[in-house]
Amino acid sequence: MNHRVHGIHHVTAIAGDPQENLDFYLDVMGLRLVKRSVNQDAPDTYHLFFADGAGTPGTDLTFFPWPRMRAARAGTGMTVEVPLAIPLGGLSYWKPRLAAHGVEPGEIETRFGERSLSFRDPHGLPLALVETDDERRFVPWDRGPVPPEHQIRGIHAVRIRERRLEPTTRLLLEVLGFETVGAEGGRHRYAAGGGSGTIVELEAAPQEPRGAMGTGGVHHVAWRVEDDEEEMALRAGILAAGLHPTPQIDRFWFRSVYFYEPGGALFELATEGPGFDRDEAPENLGERLILPPWMEARRAAIEAALPPLEAPSLPG
């Protein structure tokens, strides 16, 4: 059996103030807070998961809020943009919506035949909205501030800047199971067996210095795998390619393997399940601080170290 990744599972970025992060992604972008937890490796900060109405893998944009961290520096070995999928014609809704909330988007442009609008979130994360009619898994959020017909369908792609393209291209094609889509404007596009939600774009910047992680930057990109068997088979292939994957780590809602791709960006393999409804009813996702079972004994100390976080009031 040939194992491969099946697209994007989630993208995790670094935010500034957690309340500002929550207000923007819930109230402006219309995403649902589907899990309110902590960074399991540094539990003095939140881990906030924003997604569609059900927390479907591939729709998750997640954040570690570190308000005192320096700003990210774009450069090689970094994911430098996170395009999000919206329905065809959706930019006529989204461009004025962003402007009404004080966001200054760029001009609408066409990339790989798709209409796209670039902008940054309040803490500097480079985003884009991309119109697409590709079929993808998506559950509307009926209580959200954005009408279902205009809601973000999930993460469309990730764009990574590299000093050299060849080593990362080999990893994508020979180990992770991507296929070449094409090149345009210095960007090389690959897809993991599908369209929207399976795309990575590489751009070469041989003279540019190495980027640095920080507020407004992407921490890692997680690629979706079906189960433990597929994850461990891919881990073996990554190890055979001369890279250094971690052991499998239980994140309770999914299981993970992390590694740096050859150019320096942090990747993760993440399993489809068990899912965010493992410890919360679907209708109550994100309403309270959830900890994995092995951290429950430390709840009082963890809660005391976290700033208060209030979700905006919603209809219904």
Side-chain angles (χ1 to χ4, degrees):
M1 180 178 178
N2 290 326
H3 295 285
R4 62 181 302 162
V5 303
H6 301 281
I8 297 166
H9 185 283
H10 65 270
V11 172
T12 295
I14 299 173
D17 179 78
Q19 188 66 57
E20 293 174 359
N21 177 253
L22 175 60
D23 291 346
F24 180 76
Y25 283 96
L26 193 155
D27 193 43
V28 180
M29 302 304 292
L31 298 175
R32 184 183 183 190
L33 179 66
V34 295
K35 191 63 64 178
R36 183 190 310 220
S37 192
V38 294
N39 182 325
Q40 294 181 20
D41 303 314
D44 59 344
T45 191
Y46 286 106
H47 193 178
L48 304 178
F49 295 75
F50 300 94
D52 70 355
T56 307
T59 70
D60 299 354
L61 185 57
T62 93
F63 291 89
F64 301 140
W66 275 308
R68 291 182 292 277
M69 184 175 282
R70 67 182 183 184
R73 185 181 71 244
T76 59
M78 297 285 289
T79 300
V80 294
E81 186 182 62
V82 185
L84 307 172
I86 59 172
L88 291 180
L91 290 179
S92 62
Y93 171 87
W94 277 100
K95 189 169 186 181
R97 178 178 178 83
L98 292 174
H101 284 89
V103 179
E104 297 182 7
E107 294 302 315
I108 295 174
E109 56 182 323
T110 300
R111 308 175 182 174
F112 292 95
E114 301 162 336
R115 281 172 25 106
S116 174
L117 182 69
S118 297
F119 62 101
R120 291 178 182 267
D121 82 356
H123 300 141
L125 180 68
L127 300 169
L129 293 172
V130 180
E131 293 184 348
T132 177
D133 62 355
D134 290 350
E135 288 189 17
R136 51 179 302 157
R137 295 185 300 171
F138 165 74
V139 178
W141 182 30
D142 294 336
R143 294 184 58 214
V146 173
E149 65 269 22
H150 295 303
Q151 286 178 11
I152 292 167
R153 269 33 184 180
I155 298 171
H156 181 65
V158 291
R159 179 157 58 91
I160 302 174
R161 191 168 296 158
E162 304 281 21
R163 180 160 291 182
R164 295 175 57 231
L165 297 184
E166 293 79 9
T168 301
T169 300
R170 284 198 303 272
L171 171 74
L172 294 175
L173 298 179
E174 298 175 10
V175 180
L176 300 183
F178 282 79
E179 299 165 355
T180 301
V181 174
E184 180 184 288
R187 296 175 185 169
H188 299 257
R189 179 174 274 202
Y190 308 89
S196 180
T198 76
I199 299 165
V200 58
E201 293 176 5
L202 302 182
E203 60 181 33
Q207 306 304 318
E208 193 167 323
R210 179 71 180 267
M213 203 174 284
T215 304
V218 170
H219 187 274
H220 64 268
V221 176
W223 301 104
R224 180 166 52 87
V225 296
E226 289 184 356
D227 51 27
D228 291 343
E229 178 188 353
E230 189 161 58
E231 181 162 87
M232 298 311 288
L234 284 168
R235 182 187 182 278
I238 292 162
L239 193 62
L243 301 177
H244 305 284
T246 66
Q248 187 185 61
I249 300 172
D250 187 1
R251 297 304 192 191
F252 195 64
W253 308 291
F254 45 86
R255 288 173 293 280
S256 302
V257 170
Y258 300 86
F259 63 100
Y260 288 97
E261 54 87 15
L266 182 58
F267 279 1
E268 174 186 351
L269 305 177
T271 58
E272 281 270 356
F276 293 126
D277 59 357
R278 185 180 188 185
D279 50 9
E280 289 184 287
E283 62 270 20
N284 301 124
L285 293 177
E287 292 180 2
R288 62 189 184 92
L289 183 71
I290 297 291
L291 300 176
W294 54 87
M295 299 181 77
E296 274 295 343
R298 299 160 56 196
R299 176 176 283 274
I302 289 170
E303 288 184 336
L306 294 171
L309 194 61
E310 238 179 88
S313 59
L314 294 167

